[in-house]
Amino acid sequence: MPGLLKIAFKLLINDKGKFAALLVGITFAVFLMVMMMSMFSGILARSSAAVLNVGAKVWVMDPAVNNVNSSIPLPDTVLDMARSINGVKYAVPVYFGGALVKLRSGSYQAVSVIGLDDATLYGRPALIEGKIEDIFAENAFLVVKDAEFKKLENPKIGNEFEINDHRGKIVGIAKVQATGIFGVPTLYTTYSRAITYIPSSRFTTSFVLIEPKNEMDIPYIQLQIHKLGYEALTRDQFINKISDFYKYQTGLGINVMLMTIISFIVGLSISGQTFYTFVLENLEKFGALKAMGAKGSELVSMILFQVTFTSLMGYGLGVGLATMMMLFARFRLPDYAAQVTYTNLAFALGMVLIIAAFSSYISVRKVLQIEPFDIFRG
Amino acid sequence: MFDIAIQASGITKWFGEGEAKTVAVSDASFEARYGEMLYLVGPSGSGKTTLLSIISGILKPDAGNVLVDGSNLWNMTPNQLADFRLNRMGFVFQDYHLFSRLTTVENIAIPLILKKVNWDLAIKTALGYLEVVGLKDKANLPPVKLSGGEQQRVAIARAMVSQPDILVLDEPTASLDGETGREIVQFVKSHTLNEKRCIIIVTHDNRILEFADAIMHMEDGKITGTQRTVNEK
């Protein structure tokens, strides 16, 4: 480390009170920002859990649909027409619905039911117990072993339950990529059983899932579906649509954004003011350095180093604290929805750098304005 | 013939504008020589510190020239002036301006650090100067733990460590008792003055005038007289 930066470092860390105040300010701001964004990311990721778990490449839906749980049933003709489009390898219906399950203990539990195409079982989950062909057995259901699994009283293969006055039987235990947002367990069964067991409207198909012959065929398929008055979205497009719904149409995104901005302002005020005070207290010393022959650029580099060091340290502590908090929360609440993404980390870093830039700017201005003559004048 | 360290001619400096305009230094001309300890004396507000700042390359005059080794100081760019101060001048400020968050030896090493000397070498050299001022055993203490006289010695060691040609001391005895003040100035003269160095002291402390080789009197921004105790050749 160059000697001048070593001096800057010592001036900073040896002023323990100010250094601690600076660190606390930035750490607190980063902690709040990361927590807010991570919770929001977690919610968004879970909101698209069904899309990820089923894994179809193209989803056909009514254009008014903005998430999996509020699907508008499609007429059977949509399925037939989808199958007739050039470039479609195959198209299958899928059912998404909710039901109340009466458990052996007598208590009721809301569940999410996914009905898979009887012929292909397209979108089926990976099993950790049981055989997939057992899904065709009488009253058969697969249960997903996720954070919500215990709400069904930790069922085993062979356990029975009641669903809308029908008998249900667990024939397999599955695992999926992501857990849903609403905190209810998920059951898989066949499409025909799902629409039989769960009250439905005239049309029963929630979505038509399409497997294209080739990725290049997707735009043509989307165009043809669009001509029918429906919408065909790729998996990523659908996930983005769901995210946009939660971000912009539920108030959730705005609230999180407001909290993030408030955290940023808190960090900016604490850090900016504390660092400015730190520089003010050392202003005469900077003036003395200038009188001794330090150039303006050297004093600026000292301040930038101090601010950058503090900011990055506060950033690391803030991210660490947020991660620990999330781990602790997940330890106590297994279905706690929060995830730290690279985007969140990059955004928080960007915010910290803005805080650092602001703190540096007001401090550098002050230091560059100091005249060595003022040091002589006293 | 004396070697001239600084030759100032027609220095004028005023502050403020319009009716608030005040002349701080008016048409001041003088020379400071190598091998002598020059005192700038006068009452408060007489322009001593302003003149000292101008000849040190810190404050730009409104008129006049300052020649150092034949070069006009105020024709230099700000960076050249900074280099000049770093390489040719040593400063002892009235309030010392020691860094309380650094150790004593680190404070002394600062000019060397500014000159990009390696940290370890700078500290080693600073330790040598700390020994010269008799404070080697206090190398790792912060300056706030030292007495006023000791802090003054540290400030002198810091000014000396880069071996400047011109050493400037601003009111070096202002916050010291009479005996300590005399000791400090005596120490400066005996340990730092040589034929290749010029020392300029701004003071209004009559108790230390006995150490002067030349005394320049100022009043109301004007030099009212200069007396040299060393015979001119």
Side-chain angles (χ1 to χ4, degrees), chain A residues 43-53 68 178 238-240 242-243:
Chain A
I43 290 168
L44 288 185
R46 287 190 174 208
S47 68
S48 304
V51 182
L52 289 169
N53 294 338
V68 174
F238 194 20
I239 289 171
N240 286 339
I242 295 169
S243 294

Side-chain angles (χ1 to χ4, degrees), chain B residues 54-193:
Chain B
I54 290 170
I55 61 171
S56 305
I58 282 174
L59 185 68
K60 190 170 185 178
D62 293 306
N65 293 317
V66 179
L67 298 178
V68 178
D69 294 340
S71 302
N72 191 345
L73 211 58
W74 290 105
N75 284 341
M76 294 182 186
T77 63
N79 277 350
Q80 285 172 330
L81 273 174
D83 284 337
F84 165 77
R85 294 198 297 268
L86 183 61
N87 295 311
R88 304 287 305 274
M89 315 258 332
F91 294 95
V92 178
F93 306 107
Q94 186 175 341
D95 298 327
Y96 318 138
H97 289 300
L98 300 173
F99 288 81
S100 56
R101 308 289 175 194
L102 302 179
T103 63
T104 301
V105 69
E106 286 165 350
N107 265 284
I108 294 173
I110 285 174
L112 297 177
I113 302 292
L114 287 174
K115 289 172 94 167
K116 312 273 189 295
V117 173
N118 166 277
W119 179 271
D120 292 336
L121 180 60
I123 294 294
K124 193 178 166 190
T125 310
L127 267 175
Y129 278 85
L130 203 51
E131 191 169 14
V132 171
V133 296
L135 295 170
K136 195 177 182 184
D137 56 328
K138 300 189 174 175
N140 293 316
L141 289 179
V144 287
K145 300 265 185 183
L146 307 181
S147 68
E150 288 172 332
Q151 288 187 39
Q152 185 67 282
R153 284 167 185 264
V154 173
I156 290 166
R158 182 176 67 182
M160 291 301 306
V161 75
S162 58
Q163 298 181 316
D165 302 330
I166 301 157
L167 185 61
V168 169
L169 295 91
D170 188 21
E171 302 282 6
T173 59
S175 49
L176 302 177
D177 61 77
E179 194 178 335
T180 311
R182 282 172 53 83
E183 277 177 15
I184 289 288
V185 177
Q186 192 169 26
F187 174 85
V188 170
K189 187 159 190 179
S190 59
H191 283 77
T192 66
L193 186 60

Side-chain angles (χ1 to χ4, degrees), chain A residues 3-4 6-7 10-11 14-15 284-285 288-295 298 372-373 375-378, chain B residues 15 49 52-53 58-59 79 82-83 85-86 91 93 97-99 101-102 106 110 113-114 116 119 170:
Chain A
L4 210 55
K6 206 165 180 174
I7 287 177
K10 283 171 178 265
L11 288 177
N14 287 345
D15 192 348
E284 285 187 349
K285 304 296 185 289
L289 283 178
K290 217 169 177 178
M292 282 188 261
K295 297 181 180 73
E298 290 172 329
F373 176 58
I375 302 304
F376 271 114
R377 201 157 45 176
Chain B
F15 294 108
T49 300
L52 185 73
S53 300
I58 282 174
L59 185 68
N79 277 350
D83 284 337
R85 294 198 297 268
L86 183 61
F91 294 95
F93 306 107
H97 289 300
L98 300 173
F99 288 81
R101 308 289 175 194
L102 302 179
E106 286 165 350
I110 285 174
I113 302 292
L114 287 174
K116 312 273 189 295
W119 179 271
D170 188 21

